[in-house]
Amino acid sequence: MDYLVRFVQMHESFRKAEIEAMADLYGIHLEILHYNQYSPHCIIRLPDEDAARMIIGRSILSKAIYELWGSGPTYTELHQDVKHRTSHQWHLYKLSSFKFEIQAYQAKRSLAEQDALIQSFRYTGFEGPIQLKDPDQTFTIFEECEWGLKEPTKVHLGRLISSSSRPILDTYTLKKRKYLSTTSMDSELALITANLTLAAPGKLFYDPFVGTGSFPIACAHFGAVSMGSDIDGRAIRGKNGVNILTNFEQYRLVDKYLDSFIADLTHTPLRTARFLDGIICDPPYGVREGLKVLGSKDGGKKEIRLIDGKAAHLQSHYIPPKKPYSFEAMLGDILDFAANYLVDGARLSLWMPTANDEEVELEIPMHPCLEVVSICVQAFNKWSRRLLTYRRLRDEDVKGALPARQAKREEGSTANDLNSFRKRYFEGFREPPSPMKDVRTTDLG
């Protein structure tokens, strides 16, 4: 059966990936018949209405899903398609309360025009009461127009099946959240990321760069138990009695919060075993300050310092030494961690920045145990960030041997040396000077 998904016209590269993830989560066969990122209308094929409700019920980037009653480039062809597709169904809704509405994309219709278009479907023979609020059936006419043109280039008729979860954005908006920082992930993107990572009841999710807990909260909303860690103990401890737990209490999700702990991804205290159902993170980009991991710059061990007769590293206020860290090495370490901790079929979703030019374009990090599922892009001005989603393969599906990976260690000791994106960011992504510009010619004549 064919259905029309009404998307919101934002985060366009995420929309298709989200509904595909929902189909994968519920084991539903989904066929995308028509999708264009410049259009809010997507035509898909699903087994039945129950499948449609399941997929749309968790969607953040859609408004609703409709049973497709007809499509065409003109109203004449739309009416022909409606009669061909649905004439055998009209009697099912003959006495139901109903309403018609029109949604015009990039165009407007006067009330008189809307009434005339609605009346053109009177051949369906509906005799039930017209009910504008909470009717039994809602029929929507979708018009898609080119900018500046009045006549539509595509029209559809759909019967409303179910609305999406988009209204929950008001509940989780950062404007109302009690514990925040300047790097807290936007609640909409956090929920979308949780969807792409397939957060669901009965699953355990982990964020190794937890910050103020935006991702664990999003996962908990969808029923997953979540935990997190961060190298910065201040994020875990919070301030003035407000911390990550405060946010879970605010949303009444405490039963879905396992805990958070202070740790560095490269020195994790977690037992090496494949027990995680999802890893979801937005690692630091190293722009505000250079990336660091635990350890000394020279790699050697330091003598134990005593404060009041007690070892300094055992005291609550102790801040461990850190050393510079390569951004590319961090991405590789995240993939290694995911390969060692995710169960078969589980997903890793991570955000990574990139400049909008070829010179500092970062390659998509790859791992033999992980398969890329989707790549979504959020564009800014001169740079973008990508949401990369991977699936953990079964060991028997991994191609070739798994040699010990050598993490890329660039030469240099400064933050800019170790992070080409950071360097270009503070240069304003200006084009580097061409060596030919300083070449001067001498007139020998």
Side-chain angles (χ1 to χ4, degrees):
M1 190 173 292
D2 296 347
Y3 297 87
L4 183 147
V5 177
R6 174 56 164 95
F7 283 125
V8 297
Q9 199 62 14
M10 62 188 305
H11 300 307
E12 289 86 356
S13 69
F14 295 74
R15 304 180 308 182
K16 179 171 173 283
E18 186 190 42
I19 61 170
E20 288 176 335
M22 295 301 92
D24 193 29
L25 174 65
Y26 294 116
I28 296 171
H29 178 69
L30 165 70
E31 182 181 354
I32 296 181
L33 303 179
H34 174 76
Y35 175 77
N36 185 323
Q37 67 172 342
Y38 301 109
S39 168
H41 308 131
C42 175
I43 309 300
I44 63 176
R45 183 163 292 163
L46 295 169
D48 51 41
E49 286 189 18
D50 289 340
R53 290 189 178 90
M54 292 172 71
I55 286 180
I56 210 68
R58 282 188 42 155
S59 176
I60 303 299
L61 290 174
S62 64
K63 292 185 176 181
I65 192 167
Y66 299 78
E67 180 185 23
L68 184 65
W69 274 38
S71 294
T74 66
Y75 272 98
T76 298
E77 292 174 88
L78 171 62
H79 288 304
Q80 292 174 351
D81 197 34
V82 169
K83 294 173 183 178
H84 173 73
R85 285 175 180 259
T86 65
S87 59
H88 64 285
Q89 296 179 249
W90 297 346
H91 71 282
L92 299 176
Y93 313 108
K94 185 175 183 178
L95 301 179
S96 301
S97 61
F98 71 97
K99 74 172 181 179
F100 272 75
E101 60 183 15
I102 297 178
Q103 293 186 19
Y105 178 64
Q106 299 189 146
K108 290 184 178 180
R109 290 283 189 180
S110 67
L111 291 177
E113 289 175 323
Q114 292 183 42
D115 182 65
L117 291 174
I118 291 172
Q119 291 300 324
S120 69
F121 290 92
R122 60 183 179 273
Y123 56 78
T124 54
F126 298 151
E127 298 176 2
I130 297 174
Q131 190 170 312
L132 299 183
K133 185 177 181 181
D134 298 326
D136 295 332
Q137 304 296 332
T138 297
F139 297 90
T140 303
I141 302 167
F142 297 95
E143 291 189 337
E144 191 170 332
C145 302
E146 296 290 342
W147 186 257
L149 299 180
K150 185 174 182 180
E151 290 303 314
T153 57
K154 192 75 173 178
V155 284
H156 312 275
L157 178 66
R159 181 178 68 87
L160 178 64
I161 300 299
S162 184
S163 298
S164 71
S165 284
R166 191 164 179 79
I168 66 170
L169 294 181
D170 183 62
T171 300
Y172 290 99
T173 176
L174 296 186
K175 295 179 181 178
K176 302 177 183 179
R177 191 163 295 178
K178 295 182 179 180
Y179 181 50
L180 286 174
S181 75
T182 55
T183 58
S184 295
M185 175 60 76
D186 170 72
S187 58
E188 179 177 11
L189 292 174
L191 289 162
I192 294 168
T193 307
N195 264 342
L196 266 61
T197 323
L198 309 185
K203 293 186 176 183
L204 175 60
F205 271 57
Y206 172 57
D207 180 357
F209 307 94
V210 69
T212 59
S214 293
F215 286 132
I217 288 169
C219 295
H221 168 77
F222 292 121
V225 173
S226 57
M227 63 177 183
S229 65
D230 204 291
I231 192 173
D232 187 351
R234 295 170 297 181
I236 303 297
R237 290 188 292 267
K239 188 176 181 180
N240 299 326
V242 179
N243 52 31
I244 297 175
L245 180 60
T246 304
N247 287 338
F248 278 86
E249 292 172 341
Q250 176 182 351
Y251 300 117
R252 299 181 181 180
L253 295 171
V254 176
D255 60 320
K256 299 294 189 298
Y257 180 49
L258 191 59
D259 206 349
S260 293
F261 53 92
I262 303 169
D264 169 8
L265 181 69
T266 63
H267 298 82
T268 180
L270 296 175
R271 176 174 61 89
T272 303
R274 295 175 58 192
F275 64 93
L276 294 175
D277 299 296
I279 299 174
I280 181 171
C281 62
D282 181 25
Y285 306 155
V287 173
R288 295 174 182 271
E289 58 179 327
L291 296 173
K292 294 182 179 180
V293 291
L294 297 179
S296 57
K297 291 184 179 181
D298 58 13
K301 293 184 177 180
K302 304 295 184 181
E303 293 184 3
I304 296 177
R305 293 180 57 238
L306 299 178
I307 301 177
D308 297 331
K310 295 182 180 180
H313 67 278
L314 296 178
Q315 300 190 25
S316 60
H317 59 273
Y318 174 72
I319 300 177
K322 300 180 179 68
K323 62 182 180 180
Y325 189 32
S326 160
F327 184 77
E328 286 79 0
M330 177 188 66
L331 295 176
D333 288 336
I334 294 173
L335 266 60
D336 279 347
F337 182 89
N340 291 329
Y341 285 86
L342 288 176
V343 301
D344 289 347
R347 291 191 175 191
L348 159 70
S349 287
L350 70 92
W351 288 83
M352 65 170 285
T354 185
N356 295 337
D357 61 44
E358 296 180 358
E359 179 166 341
V360 75
E361 177 79 11
L362 297 175
E363 294 183 0
I364 303 297
M366 303 296 291
H367 193 286
C369 294
L370 301 171
E371 174 187 28
V372 176
V373 176
S374 62
I375 301 173
C376 306
V377 181
Q378 182 188 21
F380 298 106
N381 184 12
K382 294 184 178 181
W383 67 285
S384 304
R385 60 178 177 179
R386 295 179 287 198
L387 175 58
L388 310 178
T389 301
Y390 302 82
R391 179 189 296 113
R392 179 51 163 100
L393 299 173
R394 300 180 303 170
D395 287 340
E396 54 267 35
D397 294 331
V398 176
K399 297 180 180 179
L402 295 177
R405 190 185 61 82
Q406 295 289 329
K408 185 179 181 182
R409 308 293 176 186
E410 288 93 350
E411 294 181 359
S413 58
T414 68
N416 283 351
D417 290 338
L418 295 169
N419 189 338
S420 58
F421 174 80
R422 184 181 195 271
K423 181 179 180 180
R424 293 300 306 281
Y425 183 93
F426 284 111
E427 291 177 347
F429 299 104
R430 295 189 301 270
E431 290 295 328
S434 171
M436 296 301 294
K437 290 183 179 180
D438 293 330
V439 175
R440 298 181 180 179
T441 61
T442 301
D443 187 356
L444 299 178

